[in-house]
Amino acid sequence: ERAALKPAKTEAKAEAAAPAPKAYGNNLDGWINQALDIMKAKGIPGSYEGIKRNIMRESTGNPQAINDWDVNAAAGVPSKGLLQIIDPTFKAYHVDGTSWDIYDPVANIVASCNYAADKYGSMDSVNSAY
């Protein structure tokens, strides 16, 4: 007699029941949308339009941007990343669950928006260097 093979139905059901993690594009649109989901979960205000407007003014969408000429740079703390935040501010407003790398696009957006929310009510209220 041969032993009957039983299909692994319980494993398949468990896998099917787990929702797939949300996928974000590795581009400006994806970074902003991922940041917005984190911000929503953490109660940090901001809109897609307000974030994108500030990113385009600050870095033109380059997550590796660094300002080596302004007053912060002259003081030895250049502004970095998509939203041109300085290291001490990034560390102070870092949001749990995001990278500690200031050049990480999502971490940069979330920390910057957390700072802007504290100082200005929302990144949406920022219309110049902040």
Side-chain angles (χ1 to χ4, degrees):
E1 273 183 52
R2 285 191 241 171
L5 293 176
K6 292 185 179 179
K9 287 182 181 176
T10 54
E11 286 180 35
K13 283 183 182 174
E15 287 177 28
K22 189 168 182 179
Y24 300 95
N26 187 21
N27 55 37
L28 188 57
D29 182 67
W31 301 328
I32 294 171
N33 282 313
Q34 186 176 358
L36 283 167
D37 285 348
I38 294 166
M39 290 164 56
K40 183 177 180 183
K42 302 287 185 176
I44 301 167
S47 71
Y48 184 97
E49 295 77 19
I51 294 169
K52 185 170 184 182
R53 172 174 40 83
N54 281 286
I55 286 173
M56 296 313 291
R57 185 188 64 253
E58 294 291 337
S59 68
T60 63
N62 176 3
Q64 299 298 314
I66 185 164
N67 181 322
D68 59 5
W69 58 267
D70 73 358
V71 66
N72 289 318
V77 283
S79 305
K80 300 173 181 174
L82 287 175
L83 282 164
Q84 294 292 284
I85 191 169
I86 60 173
D87 287 318
T89 304
F90 177 80
K91 289 175 184 163
Y93 287 89
H94 174 264
V95 173
D96 287 343
T98 64
S99 168
W100 280 96
D101 177 0
I102 196 168
Y103 292 106
D104 177 276
V106 174
N108 187 282
I109 294 169
V110 176
S112 297
C113 288
N114 195 23
Y115 167 76
D118 184 44
K119 300 299 180 192
Y120 308 103
S122 169
M123 184 60 77
D124 295 353
S125 302
V126 177
N127 294 301
S128 63
Y130 62 107

